[in-house]
Amino acid sequence: MAPELAKTIAAIREHVERARKSGRSVGLVPTMGALHAGHAALMDCARRECGYVVATIFVNPIQFNHASDYHAYTIDLACDLDFCAAQSVDVVFAPDAAEMYPVPQSTFVEVTGVSDHLCGKFRPGHFRGVATVVAKLFHIVAADRAYFGEKDAQQLAVIQRMVADLNLPVAIIPVPTVREADGLALSSRNRRLSPEQRRIAPVVFRALDAARARIRAGTTDAGKVKDAALEILNAEPTVRLEYLEVVDDSGMQPVEEIRGPVRIAAAVWLGATRLIDNVFFTPSSH
Ligand code: PAF
């Protein structure tokens, strides 16, 4: 069945209120549209765990560093609505920018520390924009549970920290990264890759996986672990590395010695397309 479509804050609040009155728990899947199987995994978890599933489709202007990147982020709402229908989403909240930001925003949520490295270092203001819009969505939708992919591990950590620090009454549910058969993490940006770039792109996961294998083999020196990934990435001259880092899983701070759960995370450019990915390792996971 096609989901309901709410374009205004008042309308989505009414839908959610009605669902609550009928005793249903509310699950929220925030997205920027251009939906793919990674989003389907989030919606699927929400569907299994909640009586009422809200997906949001909003390309958030304040989380883009460059206007050109924002304008490149085109979505096809009709196509995304069909996608949500196939995932049995109950209602889609798809406001326009004027609905979310009727006047220029003066209040921002800044999550320090956890935002400082990885993408935060290379995309100044990005996580401030993400945390601010997600906080707004949490207040608008008032969901019981909200679903975020581990592919954006730093985003997930930022949101978890925001929820803890601000005592927001929503449970954050991490959902594992969905990959293509060749290891490429699903992302809306993958559709911007040329066929040749698409062929090369799985090198990112191969490199991260090799680094993780080095930890499994007993290496605890993060520098040596990164070398395993660099050997593979450097063999692809068209891949431009933005960062490769080993960070502790909750604080997202770079570590030199691996003693607890870590993420090995990378951002690369293939032509004009930026791809990020990460893998998790915990000493008890091998
Ligand atoms: O991951 C995304 O798609 C966005 O950053 C989010 C969480 C929907 C906020 O705009």
Side-chain angles (χ1 to χ4, degrees):
M1 211 173 70
E4 304 272 8
L5 174 62
K7 301 279 282 180
T8 65
I9 293 167
I12 188 64
R13 283 191 165 139
E14 262 174 46
H15 282 290
V16 172
E17 183 68 16
R18 234 177 289 131
R20 282 213 173 283
K21 283 202 174 122
S22 69
R24 293 196 268 173
S25 64
V26 178
L28 172 66
V29 181
T31 82
M32 297 207 300
L35 302 176
H36 52 67
H39 296 110
L42 305 178
M43 291 168 182
D44 188 48
C45 281
R47 187 69 284 164
R48 278 186 276 113
E49 296 178 356
C50 304
Y52 191 72
V53 177
V54 181
T56 68
I57 297 178
F58 177 60
V59 183
N60 175 34
I62 68 166
Q63 72 184 70
F64 289 86
N65 312 83
H66 302 290
S68 56
D69 197 17
Y70 173 58
H71 294 300
Y73 218 101
T74 50
I75 58 169
D76 177 341
L77 186 59
C79 176
D80 285 342
L81 288 174
D82 286 346
F83 187 98
C84 290
Q87 301 307 316
S88 306
V89 166
D90 293 297
V91 62
V92 172
F93 176 46
D96 60 19
E99 179 69 8
M100 289 297 277
Y101 302 111
V103 293
Q105 186 86 3
S106 293
T107 307
F108 295 92
V109 179
E110 193 134 25
V111 185
T112 57
V114 81
S115 303
D116 291 350
H117 298 280
L118 309 178
C119 295
K121 191 165 158 187
F122 291 90
R123 301 186 66 190
H126 169 66
F127 287 119
R128 182 175 97 144
V130 170
T132 301
V133 81
V134 171
K136 280 162 80 80
L137 292 172
F138 285 171
H139 283 104
I140 292 166
V141 175
D144 299 288
R145 297 161 86 78
Y147 296 79
F148 293 89
E150 287 182 2
K151 169 171 169 287
D152 297 309
Q154 191 176 19
Q155 169 172 284
L156 173 62
V158 165
I159 290 164
Q160 283 170 323
R161 190 61 204 249
M162 172 182 79
V163 164
D165 284 356
L166 298 181
N167 307 95
L168 301 180
V170 55
I172 302 303
I173 313 297
V175 177
T177 303
V178 180
R179 298 184 181 282
E180 302 279 9
D182 58 12
L184 178 64
L186 294 197
S187 163
S188 312
R189 290 171 191 259
N190 293 354
R191 59 184 75 172
R192 298 188 204 161
L193 298 171
S194 69
E196 177 59 4
Q197 290 166 340
R198 172 63 190 83
R199 188 189 63 72
I200 293 167
V203 72
V204 183
F205 176 65
R206 274 206 311 283
L208 296 174
D209 201 35
R212 179 166 55 185
R214 192 162 284 185
I215 313 180
R216 283 201 184 110
T219 304
T220 57
D221 177 334
K224 291 188 178 141
V225 166
K226 285 196 271 182
D227 285 344
L230 287 174
E231 275 162 34
I232 292 175
L233 288 171
N234 290 341
E236 277 298 352
T238 54
V239 171
R240 187 164 66 77
L241 183 63
E242 185 176 272
Y243 68 73
L244 168 69
E245 213 40 272
V246 182
V247 295
D248 73 285
D249 187 45
S250 53
M252 296 283 134
Q253 300 300 308
V255 297
E256 286 181 6
E257 195 67 22
I258 298 161
R259 294 202 193 88
V262 290
R263 296 250 166 210
I264 312 164
V268 307
W269 288 87
L270 270 168
T273 304
R274 183 175 182 272
L275 300 178
I276 60 169
D277 197 358
N278 71 86
V279 295
F280 176 70
F281 177 85
T282 184
S284 57
S285 71
H286 66 304

